[in-house]
Amino acid sequence: MIKAAVNGFGTIGRRVAYALSLQEDISVTGIVKNTPDYVAKLASERYNIYVPDGKRMEAFEKEGIKVKGTLKDLLAASDVVVDCTPEGMGKENLELYKERKVRAIFQGGEEKDVADASFNAYSNFEESIGKNYVRVVSCNTTALARTLFPLQESFGISEVNATLLRRATDQNDSKKGPINAVEPSLKIPSHHAPDLRTVMHGLNVETVAIKVPTTLMHVHVVEVHLSKPAQLRDIMDSWEARRRIMLISGKDGRSSTAQVMDMAREMGRDRSDLYEIPIWKESVTLNGNRLRYIQAVHQESDVIPENVDAIRAMFSTASAADSIGRTDRSLSIKGRVI
Amino acid sequence: MIKAAVNGFGTIGRRVAYALSLQEDISVTGIVKNTPDYVAKLASERYNIYVPDGKRMEAFEKEGIKVKGTLKDLLAASDVVVDCTPEGMGKENLELYKERKVRAIFQGGEEKDVADASFNAYSNFEESIGKNYVRVVSCNTTALARTLFPLQESFGISEVNATLLRRATDQNDSKKGPINAVEPSLKIPSHHAPDLRTVMHGLNVETVAIKVPTTLMHVHVVEVHLSKPAQLRDIMDSWEARRRIMLISGKDGRSSTAQVMDMAREMGRDRSDLYEIPIWKESVTLNGNRLRYIQAVHQESDVIPENVDAIRAMFSTASAADSIGRTDRSLSIKGRVI
């Protein structure tokens, strides 16, 4: 049994803790929470609660939340920590993890040099085998790697151009914008292209990112130049063989991210999450070797399966196929066509 | 065992079917769906699917969805039908229900004269006992009745003025607006005031309704003139005694409907729903006999417990307290302070 801690209990941390708690070979030793808010109160019904340091204890006790100890106590009881702290804090935490001899997983908000390897379950599981520090790439990069890797494997890719329509903020936030403007990231390529190359080395990719006023999902418009000629049917087959990709149709009502996320609610998923990357079938078009498609990304949850698989890679306890299968079964990722 | 059908499987119908399926004394005979969309496909894994009439069969079969029969077949197998069809259709369906001798529950989108009684579990459960046709009032009216009735019972109410900030559309919709405008309903009082009087007779209430660009929840600003002097503590107590009202604090992060709905996700509720009416504690203020408070309403789900209770009232199988208790336990409505 691998003993795993979760440091940080925001959008990603709470979902990682949930997913880990479903695994037969992993136990959750506890979670670290910084503020004694409603999320902490509800979390205390399911997990051992720890605080970053002793100074935070009092605030939690005042709210009636039982605290088991500090981050250092939690690390002493854990084999690995999944760092889900805000962007940039992971790097600061790395020294502590090294000092305490605890392996660690970081999220995509960190720079790639925080870890020994960047991770995507489909494209480069093997590079994290036996590693002590691994970074799961961001939600957007994970989504691109998931749908591009099967194409690369089957047909080769000579060029990728992707436009990322990014959600403004997450559903539980009411502070950030934009709420009535479209905000392009003026750095081209956006940081997603080099990030994608950390899990698909040498890929010839450029990305443009634009923020739009929505909280539900990101949407990617992807253009791929395939190296070998391909039929549309073969392309679909390469995606259908992967459970974490979901081919959906706009015809049966799923014409926007509103209905795609409604589908997740109807599927009865924890927190109404959608771990899979949906691709709209109708958008998949081929002009010679030039393929185009549109996909959506539930930014809050698509990286969750990867955080589970990364642990098994680091501890060398399962092959890629075996780990992905176990993770998918635990989260009801069935690769089915709905 | 009461055999219940659900006619219409939109926002309310799907949730009513789910809630009914949890009851030990009620069985779901089937649901009627009009279009073979993704919602129908997922529903077919849980429920017997029926169509409004024979003409719709083919479209469902084309999508691979097994259809058990038509609405008339379903009515023949049911004691009661919960009509969750679009606004105004319930009235048309009434004749069929009468002809087939099946009792029926209608939703708040119908005029009050469609039924023998309008229903709210707290304020007038008894009026629906033994009735054949009952209307559960709308999400907004249900929310007002829930938080006003305890006040009326304990202190008396001489006057209510409420401003309803209404969500523009539901989360799974991407057609309706407004998305960037505030749209007052220019009929004052709005239809909510007379609707509220169908479950709280003679109440001196006026309402103003304004649509705002959000999909998460409605928000009500309520002003109540109490007949008897009251202390703030007594007012809080009258609400805390009711499980379907939830006193929350903005201090611990729940400063907007974004965090309130996030709380529902953290609670692990089906479809991330919030059945309770949350009242922000800090907003509850008393100036003489004039009370003010702000509450939120998850429009997709607050009427769901009422649809269950209405069945028990109609069949005289439980008292108000007994039915409310059973419904609340089945839906994990605990009346707890989080």
Side-chain angles (χ1 to χ4, degrees):
Chain A
M1 188 73 89
I2 301 168
K3 291 175 283 177
V6 179
N7 185 12
F9 203 71
T11 298
I12 298 299
R14 59 181 89 169
R15 290 172 167 84
V16 168
Y18 168 77
L20 293 179
S21 73
L22 299 180
Q23 310 307 312
E24 286 172 4
D25 54 339
I26 301 170
S27 69
V28 179
T29 48
I31 65 119
V32 180
K33 187 84 179 72
N34 195 39
T35 43
D37 57 10
Y38 66 97
V39 179
K41 285 177 200 163
L42 287 163
S44 68
E45 297 174 8
R46 296 194 211 173
Y47 306 107
N48 293 324
I49 307 290
Y50 291 80
V51 288
D53 55 59
K55 282 176 281 178
R56 302 296 302 153
M57 289 276 193
E58 203 187 339
F60 277 70
E61 276 161 17
K62 223 169 127 184
E63 292 292 328
I65 303 170
K66 214 185 134 195
V67 174
K68 198 133 189 230
T70 65
L71 170 59
K72 286 180 185 173
D73 299 326
L74 179 59
L75 293 178
S78 307
D79 302 316
V80 60
V81 55
V82 185
D83 187 293
C84 303
T85 56
E87 204 169 306
M89 274 189 63
K91 198 181 167 62
E92 290 176 34
N93 293 333
L94 175 62
E95 291 315 305
L96 178 68
Y97 301 154
K98 282 188 171 170
E99 182 194 308
R100 302 280 154 160
K101 296 191 171 34
V102 178
R103 295 180 179 202
I105 292 175
F106 298 93
Q107 303 304 313
E110 303 300 320
E111 299 293 332
K112 66 176 179 177
D113 60 12
V114 77
D116 305 325
S118 289
F119 182 86
N120 175 264
Y122 285 168
S123 71
N124 74 335
F125 184 99
E126 287 72 19
E127 290 176 31
S128 289
I129 292 176
K131 294 284 194 298
N132 288 327
Y133 303 103
V134 166
R135 181 183 74 117
V136 171
V137 292
S138 73
C139 52
N140 278 308
T141 306
T142 295
L144 288 168
R146 271 207 202 137
T147 59
L148 288 170
F149 180 73
L151 300 175
Q152 190 185 52
E153 201 181 38
S154 300
F155 317 107
I157 290 175
S158 61
E159 186 182 323
V160 178
N161 298 294
T163 301
L164 317 184
L165 306 174
R166 299 176 63 189
R167 63 90 182 97
T169 188
D170 285 336
Q171 284 191 56
N172 63 343
D173 177 52
S174 58
K175 308 281 183 212
K176 287 188 221 160
I179 62 157
N180 188 33
V182 172
E183 187 179 305
S185 164
L186 299 177
K187 186 173 163 264
I188 295 180
S190 67
H191 70 272
H192 306 91
D195 200 39
L196 185 53
R197 280 192 290 269
T198 66
V199 292
M200 291 180 75
H201 305 290
L203 189 71
N204 177 16
V205 56
E206 294 218 340
T207 51
V208 175
I210 299 186
K211 244 186 232 174
V212 293
T214 180
T215 63
L216 299 176
M217 303 184 95
H218 305 297
V219 169
H220 298 169
V221 181
V222 189
E223 183 208 18
V224 184
H225 294 246
L226 300 172
S227 306
K228 283 193 285 187
Q231 299 296 316
L232 215 49
R233 189 59 258 165
D234 302 328
I235 290 165
M236 295 298 201
D237 285 349
S238 79
W239 284 330
E240 276 185 18
R242 304 282 180 165
R243 285 185 300 270
R244 294 181 188 174
I245 297 169
M246 191 182 242
L247 292 164
I248 64 166
S249 167
K251 269 191 309 190
D252 69 359
R254 283 169 290 185
S255 51
S256 81
T257 54
Q259 295 87 32
V260 173
M261 287 315 296
D262 182 58
M263 174 184 70
R265 299 205 289 180
E266 291 308 299
M267 289 165 74
R269 289 284 176 80
D270 175 67
R271 295 178 170 85
S272 304
D273 285 342
L274 189 68
Y275 307 111
E276 299 91 337
I277 303 303
I279 297 175
W280 275 284
K281 281 187 215 175
E282 294 89 341
S283 75
V284 184
T285 43
L286 198 56
N287 179 2
N289 282 8
R290 200 169 64 186
L291 172 70
R292 277 183 177 283
Y293 61 95
I294 303 176
Q295 66 184 17
V297 186
H298 184 223
Q299 75 280 354
E300 296 176 302
S301 71
D302 74 317
V303 301
I304 303 307
E306 257 68 13
N307 273 276
V308 179
D309 294 327
I311 292 182
R312 294 203 188 94
M314 293 162 75
F315 286 84
S316 314
T317 55
S319 68
D322 179 23
S323 177
I324 291 169
R326 285 151 80 175
T327 304
D328 288 357
R329 277 192 297 280
S330 71
L331 292 168
S332 298
I333 299 172
K334 296 180 186 169
R336 58 182 180 168
V337 180
I338 301 165
Chain B
M1 187 73 87
I2 301 168
K3 290 175 284 179
V6 179
N7 185 12
F9 203 71
T11 297
I12 299 299
R14 59 181 89 169
R15 290 173 166 84
V16 167
Y18 167 77
L20 293 179
S21 73
L22 299 180
Q23 309 307 312
E24 287 172 3
D25 54 338
I26 300 171
S27 69
V28 180
T29 48
I31 66 118
V32 180
K33 187 84 181 68
N34 195 40
T35 42
D37 57 11
Y38 66 96
V39 179
K41 285 177 200 164
L42 287 164
S44 69
E45 297 173 7
R46 296 195 211 174
Y47 306 107
N48 294 324
I49 306 291
Y50 291 81
V51 289
D53 56 59
K55 280 177 282 178
R56 303 294 304 151
M57 288 276 194
E58 204 187 339
F60 277 71
E61 277 161 17
K62 225 170 125 183
E63 293 292 327
I65 303 170
K66 216 184 135 196
V67 174
K68 196 134 191 229
T70 65
L71 170 60
K72 286 181 183 171
D73 299 326
L74 178 59
L75 293 177
S78 308
D79 303 315
V80 61
V81 56
V82 185
D83 188 293
C84 302
T85 57
E87 204 169 307
M89 274 188 63
K91 199 181 164 65
E92 291 176 35
N93 294 333
L94 176 63
E95 291 316 306
L96 178 68
Y97 301 153
K98 282 188 171 168
E99 182 194 308
R100 301 282 154 156
K101 296 190 172 32
V102 178
R103 294 180 179 201
I105 292 175
F106 299 93
Q107 303 305 312
E110 303 299 320
E111 299 292 331
K112 66 175 179 179
D113 60 12
V114 75
D116 305 325
S118 290
F119 183 85
N120 176 264
Y122 285 167
S123 71
N124 74 335
F125 184 99
E126 287 71 18
E127 289 176 32
S128 290
I129 291 175
K131 293 285 194 298
N132 288 327
Y133 304 103
V134 167
R135 182 183 73 118
V136 172
V137 291
S138 74
C139 52
N140 278 307
T141 306
T142 295
L144 288 168
R146 273 209 200 135
T147 59
L148 288 170
F149 180 73
L151 299 175
Q152 190 184 52
E153 201 181 38
S154 299
F155 317 106
I157 290 176
S158 61
E159 186 181 324
V160 177
N161 297 294
T163 301
L164 317 184
L165 305 175
R166 299 176 63 189
R167 64 89 183 100
T169 187
D170 285 335
Q171 284 192 55
N172 63 343
D173 177 52
S174 58
K175 308 281 184 214
K176 286 188 221 161
I179 61 157
N180 188 32
V182 172
E183 189 179 303
S185 165
L186 299 177
K187 186 172 163 265
I188 296 179
S190 67
H191 69 272
H192 306 91
D195 200 39
L196 184 54
R197 280 192 289 269
T198 67
V199 293
M200 291 181 75
H201 306 289
L203 188 71
N204 177 15
V205 56
E206 295 219 337
T207 51
V208 176
I210 300 188
K211 243 186 233 176
V212 293
T214 181
T215 63
L216 299 176
M217 304 184 92
H218 305 296
V219 168
H220 297 170
V221 181
V222 190
E223 183 208 17
V224 185
H225 294 244
L226 300 172
S227 308
K228 284 193 285 188
Q231 299 297 314
L232 215 49
R233 188 60 257 167
D234 302 329
I235 290 166
M236 294 298 199
D237 285 348
S238 79
W239 284 330
E240 276 184 18
R242 304 282 180 165
R243 284 183 300 271
R244 294 181 188 176
I245 297 169
M246 189 182 244
L247 292 163
I248 63 167
S249 167
K251 269 192 308 187
D252 68 358
R254 283 168 291 185
S255 51
S256 82
T257 55
Q259 295 87 33
V260 173
M261 288 314 296
D262 182 57
M263 174 184 70
R265 300 205 289 178
E266 292 307 299
M267 288 164 73
R269 288 284 177 78
D270 175 69
R271 294 178 170 86
S272 303
D273 286 341
L274 189 68
Y275 307 111
E276 300 91 335
I277 303 303
I279 298 175
W280 275 283
K281 281 186 214 176
E282 293 90 341
S283 75
V284 183
T285 44
L286 198 57
N287 179 2
N289 281 7
R290 200 168 64 185
L291 171 70
R292 278 183 177 280
Y293 60 95
I294 304 177
Q295 66 185 17
V297 186
H298 184 221
Q299 76 280 354
E300 297 176 301
S301 71
D302 74 316
V303 300
I304 303 307
E306 257 67 13
N307 273 276
V308 179
D309 293 327
I311 292 182
R312 294 203 188 93
M314 293 162 74
F315 286 84
S316 314
T317 55
S319 68
D322 180 23
S323 177
I324 291 169
R326 286 152 78 175
T327 304
D328 288 357
R329 277 191 297 279
S330 72
L331 293 168
S332 298
I333 299 171
K334 296 178 185 170
R336 59 182 178 166
V337 179
I338 300 165

